[in-house]
Amino acid sequence: MTYQYWDKETETLPRGDLEAFQLSSLRAAVVRAFGSPFYAARLAEAGIGGPEDFRTQADLRRIPFTTKGDLRAAFPYGMLAVPKDEIIRLHASSGTTGVPTTIYFAKKDLERWSSYVARSIYSTGCTRSDVFQNMITYGLFTGGLGFHYGAEEVGMLVIPSGPGNTARQFRLMKDFGTTVVHATPSFLLHVQSKMEEEGVARSELALRKAFAGAEPYSEDTRRRIEKLLAVDVYNSYGLSEMNGPGVAFECQAKDGMHLWEDGYIAEIVDPDTLEVLPEGETGELVLTILCREATPILRYRTRDLTSFYTEVCPCGRTHRRIRRITGRTDDMLIINGVNVFPSQIEEVIMAMGEVGNNYLIVVEKDGALDRLTVKTEVGPDIFMDDARPLNALRERIRKTLQASISINPHVELHEPGALPVSEGKAKRVVDSRPKDV
Ligand code: AMP
Ligand code: ZN
């Protein structure tokens, strides 16, 4: 196979040069971080005086970890390291109630982000001749605009379709000859399952590649999409705290995702002891973004579990590969690509007086998509045989939940005492989606 590179020099930089670049970028990142109120305090507390404290990459370990909780506590501007005038965009993590985790971008930050995404897209064998349909949510979520500008940078024709409405997606694919799509893996399967119903023949479509990410999926699911939709599927990994997409991406070898190490320092730590693990072992990915001016983030605990490949990729890129994400170290659910913590659902329903004490969150597959059902008991003052107030309550719970978690749940009401009570630690979440990673 002949591999193509967007920026060959950077992508194939000898390890020694790459690591030297990381160290000098880390020093610069520390200087910038001191400009944010959060890190000025955090770094001083850790006894870090300035960039001179970083002589080797191992010195990175002196920096305390940053968590999602830190980002929330610093909301809105505690992590900002440049004057407000310099920021031109913000993104926020999907599905968070109350205090979102918000990332700000200066002009250069957006250019750099687009270049990582462009490099990723190009590494899969796409070119400016491709027509790219971005079937993912635009808005505060980073997947939409992140891919959009990256694909424009490559020079592809970009169709900003967003997700949903499969009939319209097929129409666009046919009208403009879409060759590449981006979506969550569940939406790709959903699109495929609608083809027959919509009267679309595969031969009418010019599709050749698909980027799938934003939620965990297995190698089996990839193969399934590849077979059913007859496209090459590439795994795409990113998170809003680290810009969004373009952190790690599969190349044409389709075996592990190159993590762009000129943009990020990646560590894999034991989630319990937080010690850095030997290369190849599975643990939690910790990321430091090296060049972002507006919102520097050092040693961010992603909660995502993965490991490094120890072998070099046949494509010749020197940036190390990570394996498919196999799970998380916290209880965050990803439902049709939207992040939801069970505690957010609890907060909403427990604030409603008519709701009883017990509830259950059920996540299952409904065709290719995920389906969320929230079952709650009603309080003792509600009569179960009076349908009108019950329906009104159900509707109110549904709407309030939807407003807070950005997912439209099914709501089931049950009599007091009807839901199972567990003897030990309450089991509030039943996730029956297949875990065949
Ligand atoms: P967000 O900040 O909303 O973009 O969500 C980021 C999270 O989505 C990550 O921390 C992962 O848990 C998950 N995620 C994103 N891409 C992938 C992927 N390709 N495979 C598995 N999980 C992913
Ligand atoms: Zn490769």
Side-chain angles (χ1 to χ4, degrees):
M1 190 185 295
T2 48
Y3 296 98
Q4 63 178 34
Y5 311 91
W6 181 249
D7 173 1
K8 186 163 188 186
E9 193 188 336
T10 308
E11 290 169 54
T12 60
L13 207 60
R15 286 298 307 175
D17 295 348
L18 186 52
E19 282 162 25
F21 178 80
Q22 286 186 312
L23 184 59
S24 63
S25 306
L26 173 65
R27 290 200 191 109
V30 167
V31 172
R32 278 195 300 270
F34 268 106
S36 84
F38 171 82
Y39 278 113
R42 184 57 73 87
L43 295 174
E45 243 168 64
I48 294 166
E52 64 284 359
D53 287 332
F54 298 87
R55 286 195 188 83
T56 70
Q57 247 204 54
D59 292 329
L60 173 67
R61 298 178 195 175
R62 294 185 52 188
I63 302 177
F65 295 103
T66 300
T67 64
K68 224 179 185 49
D70 290 328
L71 265 86
R72 294 215 172 104
F75 182 84
Y77 294 117
M79 293 241 176
L80 190 63
V82 297
K84 272 191 210 154
D85 279 1
E86 285 183 29
I87 53 180
I88 59 169
R89 200 197 298 165
L90 64 80
H91 279 284
S93 183
S94 53
T96 48
T97 42
V99 185
T101 54
T102 308
I103 304 296
Y104 304 94
F105 297 83
K107 192 156 192 288
K108 273 221 179 89
D109 297 334
L110 289 178
E111 286 166 9
R112 240 178 237 117
W113 178 20
S114 293
S115 78
Y116 302 149
V117 177
R119 183 198 290 179
S120 304
I121 291 175
Y122 205 74
S123 80
T124 67
C126 291
T127 68
R128 54 178 300 145
S129 310
D130 278 294
V131 177
F132 175 63
Q133 193 161 321
N134 199 14
M135 306 193 294
I136 207 135
T137 312
Y138 277 68
L140 288 176
F141 175 58
T142 55
L145 290 178
F147 263 91
H148 183 101
Y149 287 109
E152 282 190 357
E153 175 91 22
V154 172
M156 299 160 119
L157 169 61
V158 181
I159 310 173
S161 67
N165 197 338
T166 46
R168 187 167 146 268
Q169 302 286 3
F170 287 127
R171 180 83 262 143
L172 292 167
M173 286 178 196
K174 286 200 260 183
D175 285 349
F176 303 110
T178 303
T179 55
V180 183
V181 290
H182 169 223
T184 60
S186 29
F187 190 67
L188 287 173
L189 281 170
H190 178 66
V191 165
Q192 192 281 326
S193 72
K194 291 280 179 187
M195 256 171 99
E196 202 179 302
E197 198 177 304
E198 303 286 353
V200 178
R202 179 62 181 87
S203 55
E204 294 175 88
L205 306 178
L207 281 187
R208 60 185 201 105
K209 287 177 196 291
F211 309 137
E215 63 186 19
Y217 63 112
S218 64
E219 198 51 48
D220 282 345
T221 301
R222 182 231 292 265
R223 276 197 287 268
R224 203 187 166 89
I225 302 171
E226 293 197 321
K227 186 160 163 253
L228 292 172
L229 211 53
V231 288
D232 268 324
V233 175
Y234 298 85
N235 197 359
S236 152
Y237 171 78
L239 59 159
S240 49
E241 292 81 359
M242 294 289 125
N243 288 350
V247 174
F249 219 94
E250 276 179 339
C251 68
Q252 284 163 291
K254 285 207 293 194
D255 184 16
M257 299 178 278
H258 289 283
L259 197 142
W260 300 125
E261 292 184 277
D262 57 322
Y264 304 89
I265 294 182
E267 303 165 90
I268 290 181
V269 304
D270 179 317
D272 298 319
T273 64
L274 299 180
E275 290 298 322
V276 175
L277 290 169
E279 193 155 275
E281 284 187 26
T282 300
E284 182 179 326
L285 181 66
V286 170
L287 292 171
T288 295
I289 187 159
L290 287 172
C291 303
R292 195 166 56 198
E293 294 172 6
T295 326
I297 297 188
L298 310 172
R299 300 196 89 200
Y300 182 70
R301 289 191 59 185
T302 65
R303 304 282 176 173
D304 292 319
L305 291 169
T306 185
S307 55
F308 284 120
Y309 281 61
T310 48
E311 320 78 47
V312 177
C313 186
C315 76
R317 287 182 178 80
T318 48
H319 301 237
R320 285 178 299 172
R321 288 169 295 162
I322 54 167
R323 291 198 166 73
R324 193 174 279 285
I325 309 293
T326 52
R328 290 187 53 93
T329 63
D330 61 10
D331 59 353
M332 188 177 92
L333 298 162
I334 303 186
I335 302 175
N336 292 325
V338 178
N339 303 349
V340 184
F341 285 96
S343 57
Q344 296 176 255
I345 297 179
E346 169 168 338
E347 238 168 67
V348 170
I349 54 184
M350 286 298 135
M352 299 181 122
E354 304 92 326
V355 168
N357 293 332
N358 207 356
Y359 68 92
L360 193 66
I361 297 164
V362 179
V363 194
E364 58 208 330
K365 276 282 171 202
D366 178 11
L369 297 178
D370 300 328
R371 169 189 166 111
L372 168 68
T373 307
V374 177
K375 304 181 179 191
T376 93
E377 291 179 3
V378 296
D381 308 331
I382 308 276
F383 292 106
M384 289 302 287
D385 26 18
D386 199 350
R388 285 242 319 262
L390 271 189
N391 287 340
L393 175 60
R394 191 182 299 116
E395 193 48 22
R396 199 148 59 78
I397 297 176
R398 191 190 62 74
K399 279 201 178 129
T400 321
L401 275 173
Q402 188 178 17
S404 117
I405 61 176
S406 315
I407 295 175
N408 188 6
H410 296 263
V411 176
E412 276 181 21
L413 299 179
H414 294 263
E415 280 178 36
L419 291 177
V421 182
S422 41
E423 284 173 3
K425 204 164 130 60
K427 189 166 166 42
R428 303 288 198 194
V429 180
V430 176
D431 187 347
S432 67
R433 292 174 295 182
K435 279 190 196 53
D436 46 358
V437 177

